Amino acid sequence: MLTDTKVKTAKAEERAYRLSDSEGLFVHVMPTGKKFWRLRYRIDGKEQTLTLGPYPSVGLREARMLRDNAKDLLRQGIDPNKAGKITHLLAEPQQKDNFEAVAREWYEQRKDLWRPRHAHDVIHSLERDVFPHIGHLPPGQITPRVVLHILKGIEDRGAIETAHRIRQRMSDVFVHAIATERADTDPAGIVKPALRPVIRNRQPAITDLEQAREMIAHVESCVAHPVTLLAFRLLYLTAVRPGEVRAAMWDEFHGLDSQDPVWVIPAERMKMSREHIVPLSPQAVAVVQAVRPFSSRWPHLFPNTRRPKLPMSENAIGYLINRAGYHGRHVPHGFRSTFSSNMNERFPLDHDVIELMLAHASKDKVAAAYNRALYIDRRRELASIWSRLILDGQKTVDELVSAHRRPVKI
């Protein structure tokens, strides 16, 4: 089989010659140095040749996709030389009508609805994985097989979720093309069932309450810096994301000496880009107060032991869990599943409240803003219940900080 390098470096000779690829595909190198992709096939017992296009305008991967399109027609008993579909694919489309132009038109209409980082990810993914292969082709002439070929290439590098995201973005572009009368079908929608499934909740988590308590006891018996142990405890008491604990700032905690202590995580640090209010249980407040002697002079609750102006290492809590013997069985993010499973089982009528505690997005933004305020008291109650459940039989905060270790002030 050919490679891009072999095609690119093929030199002209006195007579035209062929470099074969597979399934009848070859590149025809002319004495002038020009190169053309051609396909040999048989129909009605006669050998035929189909010109797919010039190299490098048509690259190796694209030539193979065009070969596959032609084979599809042959299986239907259609001579691709007469069907016109392949030649339409190779015809130079109007710039405003090719897939890349339609995709960028769609993107310009949507990008103001997205966060800048997400908008960049959308267009960059198309520029990286789609435009080089079909950007110059009319969307109305792109087949499901071509789309699937692109997506399978993404899957083959292990990026299963990326393949699904790009498929959705391609589908949106095709729908836009249909709406603007530049396509009749959505081939990206058709191929969805042919992709490998995305396995959700892939991060290991211990959700059984008794097993979770046992795991916590083992972890908190490890010799470790008090700051790391306290960060670990605040993580499982609040069920926030590990990065939110790691980067917690002192000025985010309010009313620690009052009846209504809260941790207000700013929008820029939240996955859903909205401020998240975490009502603190008395046990969580005790953790925050316990870490004060170690870090109150620094911006972060849990500073890096070597560079205290920075937050603790993103791997510190994970390494602590691994040292306790739970590598591959539980990760820091897994406490969100532990909390969700147990609290939803005990309080099924509070499912929406529990979702708010986990900072999961609501489709109704007005209702979400209203509910965040409406359920604050119930969220505080559930936070206290959870703290009592998960801490049953565990060390006190004082024991956690002092037992079997010598606190080192930062």
Side-chain angles (χ1 to χ4, degrees), residues 112-141:
D112 291 340
L113 302 175
W114 301 323
R115 294 162 50 198
R117 180 175 177 180
H118 177 67
H120 173 267
D121 287 345
V122 169
I123 195 64
H124 178 66
S125 69
L126 296 175
E127 291 172 340
R128 178 192 61 215
D129 292 317
V130 180
F131 294 165
H133 307 299
I134 60 170
H136 67 288
L137 303 178
Q141 298 295 335

Side-chain angles (χ1 to χ4, degrees), residues 115-118 235 238-249 252-253 263-279 333 336 354-362 372 379:
R115 294 162 50 198
R117 180 175 177 180
H118 177 67
L235 176 67
T238 58
V240 300
R241 295 176 178 86
E244 292 152 14
V245 166
R246 186 178 75 89
M249 310 280 286
E252 295 170 1
F253 291 81
W263 176 13
V264 182
I265 306 176
E268 59 265 26
R269 288 210 297 107
M270 292 299 299
K271 181 178 180 180
M272 299 304 174
S273 295
R274 68 169 186 236
E275 180 180 271
H276 181 46
I277 300 174
V278 183
H333 193 91
R336 292 169 61 78
I354 293 167
E355 289 293 286
L356 288 171
M357 295 175 75
L358 291 167
H360 286 162
S362 170
R372 285 202 296 275
R379 288 160 64 192

Side-chain angles (χ1 to χ4, degrees), residues 53-115:
Y55 178 88
S57 298
V58 176
L60 174 59
R61 187 169 182 175
E62 184 185 336
R64 288 171 177 166
M65 287 191 288
L66 295 174
R67 173 201 63 198
D68 292 342
N69 275 348
K71 296 287 187 179
D72 282 342
L73 293 174
L74 286 168
R75 277 188 282 271
Q76 300 172 47
I78 301 171
D79 186 342
N81 262 314
K82 297 178 180 178
K85 291 190 176 182
I86 297 294
T87 54
H88 287 167
L89 277 174
L90 298 172
E92 189 67 28
Q94 294 293 320
Q95 187 65 28
K96 66 178 181 179
D97 290 331
N98 64 30
F99 183 86
E100 180 174 350
V102 174
R104 291 189 183 279
E105 182 181 298
W106 163 80
Y107 172 76
E108 289 298 323
Q109 291 182 4
R110 302 297 177 86
K111 68 177 183 179
D112 291 340
L113 302 175
W114 301 323
R115 294 162 50 198

Side-chain angles (χ1 to χ4, degrees), residues 219-220 222 224-233 320 400 405:
V219 173
E220 293 186 342
C222 291
H225 196 287
V227 167
T228 307
L229 290 165
L230 291 169
F232 173 77
R233 178 162 288 193
L320 178 63
L400 184 67
R405 61 189 64 83

Side-chain angles (χ1 to χ4, degrees), residues 6 9 55 71 91 256 280 283 330 341 354 363 395:
K6 190 170 183 179
T9 57
Y55 178 88
K71 296 287 187 179
L256 295 179
L280 297 173
Q283 296 88 340
H330 191 88
S341 296
I354 293 167
K363 293 181 180 179
K395 292 181 173 73

